[in-house]
Amino acid sequence: MTGVSSMRRLRGGIVGGGRGAFIGAVHRIAAELDGQSTVVAGALSSDPATARASAAAWGLARSYDTYQEMARAEAARSDGIEYVIVATPNHLHLPVARAFIECGIHVICDKPLALNAAEGEQFERLVTGGKPLFALTHPYSAYPTIRQARDMVAAGQLGQLRKVLVEYVQDWLMEPLENTGNKQAEWRSDPARSGDGGCIGDIGTHAAHLLEFVAGTRIEALCADLSSFVPGRRLDDDANMLLRLEGGGKGTLVCSQIACGEENHIRLRVYGSKGALDWSQLDANTLVHKPAGAPWQLLRTSAPYMGADARAGTRTPGGHPEGYLEAFANLYREFIEDVRRVQAGLPPRRNYPGVAEGVRGLRFIAAAVASSRNDSRWTRV
Amino acid sequence: MTGVSSMRRLRGGIVGGGRGAFIGAVHRIAAELDGQSTVVAGALSSDPATARASAAAWGLARSYDTYQEMARAEAARSDGIEYVIVATPNHLHLPVARAFIECGIHVICDKPLALNAAEGEQFERLVTGGKPLFALTHPYSAYPTIRQARDMVAAGQLGQLRKVLVEYVQDWLMEPLENTGNKQAEWRSDPARSGDGGCIGDIGTHAAHLLEFVAGTRIEALCADLSSFVPGRRLDDDANMLLRLEGGGKGTLVCSQIACGEENHIRLRVYGSKGALDWSQLDANTLVHKPAGAPWQLLRTSAPYMGADARAGTRTPGGHPEGYLEAFANLYREFIEDVRRVQAGLPPRRNYPGVAEGVRGLRFIAAAVASSRNDSRWTRV
Amino acid sequence: MTGVSSMRRLRGGIVGGGRGAFIGAVHRIAAELDGQSTVVAGALSSDPATARASAAAWGLARSYDTYQEMARAEAARSDGIEYVIVATPNHLHLPVARAFIECGIHVICDKPLALNAAEGEQFERLVTGGKPLFALTHPYSAYPTIRQARDMVAAGQLGQLRKVLVEYVQDWLMEPLENTGNKQAEWRSDPARSGDGGCIGDIGTHAAHLLEFVAGTRIEALCADLSSFVPGRRLDDDANMLLRLEGGGKGTLVCSQIACGEENHIRLRVYGSKGALDWSQLDANTLVHKPAGAPWQLLRTSAPYMGADARAGTRTPGGHPEGYLEAFANLYREFIEDVRRVQAGLPPRRNYPGVAEGVRGLRFIAAAVASSRNDSRWTRV
Amino acid sequence: MTGVSSMRRLRGGIVGGGRGAFIGAVHRIAAELDGQSTVVAGALSSDPATARASAAAWGLARSYDTYQEMARAEAARSDGIEYVIVATPNHLHLPVARAFIECGIHVICDKPLALNAAEGEQFERLVTGGKPLFALTHPYSAYPTIRQARDMVAAGQLGQLRKVLVEYVQDWLMEPLENTGNKQAEWRSDPARSGDGGCIGDIGTHAAHLLEFVAGTRIEALCADLSSFVPGRRLDDDANMLLRLEGGGKGTLVCSQIACGEENHIRLRVYGSKGALDWSQLDANTLVHKPAGAPWQLLRTSAPYMGADARAGTRTPGGHPEGYLEAFANLYREFIEDVRRVQAGLPPRRNYPGVAEGVRGLRFIAAAVASSRNDSRWTRV
């Protein structure tokens, strides 16, 4: 054997995401995918038995009954976690993040940031200026094809932006699942745990972020029509919006969790005066470029003509499809690089969504709710 | 030779649609495709030389300098035309139709019906109760796959309608073509000849009709945001709308003539409580059915499991693609059958759009313009 | 009315293709689609009653009980037909064509040319040097996208040809339909009426022609494995072949009429040293160009960047799908132009398949049958 | 903190796959994706400096200069590796596997198994009956959609198998890359390191395995035509084959590494007497089912109607695309479960390809080479 002074894997922890939660395993896989980090500790559920069983199933070294205990104990250990994943329902994002940040531990957190804009501003004060890093997991913006799209728009390849069409449609809430014991559906349709937005918070914010990320501009105002199609549901399960963008673009944003037959379909189209882009997660490794007067071009993940940012987030040669977990892992890759930079005394690059994007998402939710309650009037975001 | 007492081909005429007009040739082909009719006379252009040259190129027996002369002369002939195609700019639809209807000649007319709702109501008085038939050419509703979609909705296969998404996007007006001598662009962007709607009149009405045709319900109200992206353009070239349907459904309607890279893309999605349908003209021979909890199904033109109305409009076995001209010809097939019925003293079936759909389209335009001028307020159609 | 010295519509006739035959109506529509010709006479069936009823349904002026009578009578009339469509089973192609050619009437004939290569050579002697034109209906080669493909290969855009993959798969004969009274299936599975090839004759010849047409080179030799999967069937219903092309390319040809779920799927891929092309009738208006090291490009029917030959065969603006009937009509357009040229004393352009392509198809069938009987040995075409 | 008696992560090692090798990182990610194993030691390159640098970049605990030293040292450690990944060029598969198996360490190895069939039989003797497990990485067979396909065929949903079409096409060797210092291309085109097969060994074996895996039957005989299109290349870079299957099915197998524009396209179609299946890695999360006389159905990864084996290999809810790495990880999941079973004294399940499939792949290569050299005669596999 030859001694190796290798790149050490960082130690991560996770709060929430235990058995029955979809997103916990996604975070763990994404955090570890590039071999730069291992999740070693967790408070995986508010139910201690579930927490322990989940931790055992994942082979975690340490399981905690509460996130408070976890934050204190891990901060005290010499081999304690260096960052924590927050994968709880929305109402716990802020208290959990606070507990760890106050212990000096970096945080990567699910979206939406918080229950509402006021809470989001608390979050902003908590995070801004502090030493611990804060990342928000909008994974769709980390697909190589989406990075390519953003770079093409920024480079002016589309000319002046005119029209944007973004949609995110699912069908998993087309029945009153929240009344059947489904925990995912329960908290997502409970204003106390989910905030003011149902569908618009859960997936509408992804759509809004993706749009602003690629377009390089912001939603200035919107006209929203929110619905709850399933009888008795307390939050919106469907929304249609008109958009006006800073810089003069216009468009629509559509999201739904009652769109029968749609698994998890997020799509973005951006039209400019010289070209257009079209991307759908159904074919996530292809970015369709529609230059004026010329044939459509299919830009593919990992191809040699892709830009640097797209290629940095690619792990296999062309034609070996990469998916959602790999996109999610791209966020972690950049977050973990930043953790290493901060540990080495270097300034972070922050090439991932953070608290500003989180607050923006909450303002989007607030504007949509306000507009819808006000007869769909134009409302500034 | 054996004598044949064959099915005689009807004699048709056409006003407008001469050289340089896209839609004239489409009408002629569609009218003749099934061998049930021949176009024999025309007033193909307001410019007599163009009219004559165009008529010669098509092998018409008779060419007229004016539609007024044509109506009079044809009505007087024993072998005169039995119906007339109106393929002029919008402002002439009413006077041309009137001239022929007053001579007892059946009319099939391009959309939108007229310049505005007031004119549309004149049209309605003209047509209603009169003996000559009146058909309006919304060809997209005549695709076999669309007929199948309508029948499936009507049969309750989708359950209760919840969401509709309809779009019709093109890019041919993304530059100020109307300033370059392009006649098609000129009249379409001139309020005096096109009416109050630009893009929403030219293609938005197709989208609205398709939606109402398939959904079997009507747009109750809309919030519209109309734009003219090309500097100096006098009518809208792009529109985004929120929709509310009678019966409780909601949705969006998007249309554009500045959507770079889009040739002529009309698509409809209809989501219900039990299933959904998705159709796009890019793959016009496929209707995607998305039943709840089951795999998507691809319903194909001409397949044995298709319904009677779909199969009636099919000319080739499965897998031989049928297109726009065949859909257009389906409208003519049903119109011509009705002409024969009327000639035989039978009541017409009117299985095609007529003056009611035309007036409805004008009200849609009026509502969209009014809403957009009124800060996108909800406006009843 | 202004007098019109218009472009007269030519008078066509048809033999075969009556009620119950799929291809007769296709020929009639294609022949008339551009308004350059009308089918006025026919001997539509060997059964006189069917012949007459079919003629009446199409509105033909004259119906004949036999093609012999038709040839004589039409040749004698001053307003007789100027060309005839041969849409009979294969074994009648030669006698019918001879009857009309000997009367000086131009012929357009379905494929395959004849029952076998020997008969094909008789055909060649009959046609070559004679004054009447002879066209063979391989419609797939008349799609605008296929014309574009051929022109791109010819211009060297693909570099040196290396690999070709062509397939034509259907499922309509996956059950023993010939035993159920289906006339189409009966004659196609009867060697006396169909010739030595079943599936390879009916659709394999289309695939072989399409390949040679686009590649601009010929199949030099093949290894074939023919099968009759349906018990009792007398001709092949499926075939797989290895191909070697003149010039060094290699590839496969696959055809089947028992490929469950396939309606009528013909696809061609051509790979060269600098680029590749991919076309499928499932998306007939798109030609995929795969240049080395660059994104795939989607070339679309009717786009401004398409070549002259492609654009000549296009009737609608981009995005209005054109289909099988329009491709078929392109063959007729070019054939009818040639009839006019010959009538005007000009040399024909022969921009459509003729007797040479027909003989080539018969040699392809013969080589495939011989190879398959000889343990799939390489056999020259 | 609560003590966790958690599921321990197994310790893995890797030979080959260092910097510049595509497949090494794929193996590491796949081995670790489910948190069931960590790669801790490696002999990553025959060049010691590269080996060490690669190990450091991956954060491995131990790096070795030679695989022999690694096998001895790891076997001697109480915390030594429990399995080894063999990711070397083909000629080293056998010696490396032998070294570890003789030390009692389980082996998971890249394909093809060995240089030729004779070596493969040595391998078989080495592995069969021994205690250490042996797995061969044919990852395409581990896509959930492919597992579903296999189960549907086995359940008789397709009826009797008639036709199979399998292809695997790439373009990365369309230029003489082996002369430019590209190590991947060098060894793959060198018979001494790659064996008798070039393209047919590298990817043809994947296609053959996929076909036999799904069809549940074996290739009985083949007619092959191998080519080396790039001048000077010593092994085949393209192949076309006719196939006959045990049980009476027929078909073709096409593979190429010079198919311009194809990234890495593997596709399988299987046609039976009652239905067909169509799968392409371009849309790996969809399995197209074509039942006789009914609409095509799109079966999707993770949908509730998918079978148990498909669902076991799924990590995210429907609509979150899974890709190549996840399929590869499915092989590791089953291999690691088996390692645990063996450690617990239970019999392994062997639900992954092993030495038998490897020998079969070598016989496929041998038959293809022999047939091609013998004028494409039918040759038994």
Side-chain angles (χ1 to χ4, degrees), chain B residues 3-354:
Chain B
V4 183
S5 71
S6 74
M7 181 64 86
R8 188 176 58 78
R9 297 191 185 194
L10 297 187
R11 297 177 300 274
I14 182 165
V15 177
R19 207 163 272 179
F22 138 60
I23 205 67
V26 167
H27 277 282
R28 190 201 56 69
I29 292 173
E32 299 187 348
L33 196 99
D34 285 320
Q36 298 300 315
S37 150
T38 307
V39 179
V40 297
L44 284 155
S45 172
S46 52
D47 173 59
T50 301
R52 264 170 262 157
S54 303
W58 284 0
L60 300 196
R62 305 183 288 279
S63 173
Y64 297 89
D65 288 356
T66 70
Y67 68 84
Q68 295 93 337
E69 183 196 350
M70 175 174 165
R72 274 192 308 270
E74 291 293 322
R77 295 176 70 101
S78 62
D79 65 347
I81 61 170
E82 298 164 279
Y83 71 90
V84 73
I85 301 161
V86 184
T88 64
N90 304 346
H91 69 297
L92 293 173
H93 290 179
L94 180 57
V96 174
R98 174 179 292 127
F100 286 85
I101 283 174
E102 290 176 353
C103 292
I105 294 172
H106 305 290
V107 172
I108 182 163
C109 178
D110 227 307
K111 51 63 1 226
L113 183 64
L115 283 181
N116 50 51
E119 218 188 76
E121 285 157 21
Q122 282 185 57
F123 225 123
E124 203 159 26
R125 285 190 296 274
L126 171 68
V127 168
T128 309
K131 210 177 146 194
L133 295 164
F134 182 83
L136 195 73
T137 51
H138 281 303
Y140 303 109
S141 63
Y143 274 109
T145 38
I146 289 298
R147 294 292 172 94
Q148 178 74 9
R150 181 195 56 174
D151 291 350
M152 290 173 72
V153 172
Q157 288 190 252
L158 268 52
Q160 192 178 3
L161 237 64
R162 289 174 164 180
K163 191 172 184 81
V164 295
L165 300 171
V166 62
E167 59 184 276
Y168 194 159
V169 289
Q170 305 176 326
D171 74 357
W172 75 287
L173 288 175
M174 64 180 282
E175 302 293 340
L177 219 58
E178 60 268 44
N179 303 338
T180 66
N182 180 304
K183 283 181 182 263
Q184 298 297 313
E186 260 176 43
W187 75 255
R188 276 187 178 79
S189 59
D190 174 7
R193 285 179 284 173
S194 195
D196 294 335
C199 172
I200 57 166
D202 199 32
I203 59 175
T205 48
H206 278 311
H209 178 261
L210 185 68
L211 164 57
E212 297 192 340
F213 180 82
V214 170
T217 188
R218 314 217 304 184
I219 301 171
E220 187 176 84
L222 55 78
C223 276
D225 191 18
L226 274 51
S227 309
S228 302
F229 279 104
V230 171
R233 183 159 290 159
R234 288 180 293 164
L235 287 169
D236 63 283
D237 52 23
D238 181 272
N240 302 310
M241 304 186 201
L242 304 180
L243 305 180
R244 288 187 179 160
L245 307 185
E246 292 175 3
K250 297 191 172 186
T252 59
L253 184 153
V254 166
C255 59
S256 184
Q257 294 181 315
I258 57 88
C260 183
E262 304 294 355
E263 295 174 329
N264 187 55
H265 181 44
I266 177 165
R267 183 182 181 195
L268 173 66
R269 283 175 285 175
V270 182
Y271 297 97
S273 58
K274 289 166 39 181
L277 293 172
D278 189 349
W279 179 85
S280 159
Q281 198 185 217
L282 274 175
D283 187 11
N285 290 294
T286 301
L287 173 65
V288 185
H289 179 210
K290 307 176 179 179
W296 288 7
Q297 299 199 337
L298 308 186
L299 307 184
R300 298 271 303 160
T301 300
S302 191
Y305 48 74
M306 297 291 269
D309 203 21
R311 302 199 70 191
T314 307
R315 291 168 186 82
T316 54
H320 299 80
E322 303 199 22
Y324 175 74
L325 292 172
E326 288 86 346
F328 218 113
N330 284 342
L331 284 186
Y332 271 94
R333 184 175 57 86
E334 293 177 326
F335 174 69
I336 289 169
E337 280 175 17
D338 258 8
V339 171
R340 291 197 196 274
R341 289 178 64 86
V342 168
Q343 290 178 341
L346 298 169
R349 290 207 181 92
R350 301 195 194 276
N351 194 18
Y352 41 80

Side-chain angles (χ1 to χ4, degrees), chain D residues 11-45:
Chain D
R11 296 178 299 275
I14 181 165
V15 177
R19 206 163 274 176
F22 137 60
I23 203 70
V26 167
H27 277 283
R28 190 200 58 69
I29 292 172
E32 299 187 346
L33 195 100
D34 285 320
Q36 298 300 315
S37 152
T38 307
V39 178
V40 297
L44 285 156
S45 171

Side-chain angles (χ1 to χ4, degrees), chain D residues 8-11 80-83 104 106 131 133 336-348:
Chain D
R8 187 176 60 78
R9 296 191 186 194
L10 297 187
R11 296 178 299 275
I81 61 170
E82 297 164 282
Y83 71 88
H106 304 291
K131 213 177 143 192
L133 296 164
I336 288 170
E337 279 175 16
D338 257 8
V339 171
R340 291 195 196 275
R341 289 178 64 87
V342 168
Q343 289 178 341
L346 298 168

Side-chain angles (χ1 to χ4, degrees), chain A residues 180-203:
Chain A
T180 66
N182 181 304
K183 282 179 182 265
Q184 299 296 315
E186 260 175 43
W187 75 255
R188 276 187 177 80
S189 60
D190 174 7
R193 286 179 284 172
S194 196
D196 294 335
C199 171
I200 56 166
D202 199 33
I203 59 174

Side-chain angles (χ1 to χ4, degrees), chain A residues 300-323:
Chain A
R300 297 272 303 161
T301 300
S302 191
Y305 49 74
M306 296 291 268
D309 204 21
R311 303 201 68 192
T314 306
R315 290 166 188 83
T316 54
H320 299 80
E322 303 199 23

Side-chain angles (χ1 to χ4, degrees), chain D residues 56-139:
Chain D
W58 283 2
L60 300 196
R62 302 182 292 279
S63 172
Y64 297 89
D65 287 357
T66 70
Y67 69 85
Q68 294 94 337
E69 185 197 349
M70 177 175 164
R72 274 191 309 271
E74 290 294 321
R77 295 177 70 103
S78 62
D79 66 345
I81 61 170
E82 297 164 282
Y83 71 88
V84 72
I85 300 161
V86 184
T88 64
N90 303 349
H91 68 298
L92 293 173
H93 289 181
L94 179 59
V96 173
R98 174 180 290 130
F100 285 85
I101 284 175
E102 289 176 352
C103 293
I105 294 171
H106 304 291
V107 172
I108 183 164
C109 180
D110 227 306
K111 56 57 7 226
L113 184 64
L115 283 181
N116 50 51
E119 219 189 77
E121 285 157 21
Q122 281 185 58
F123 225 124
E124 204 159 26
R125 285 189 297 274
L126 171 69
V127 168
T128 309
K131 213 177 143 192
L133 296 164
F134 182 84
L136 195 75
T137 51
H138 280 303

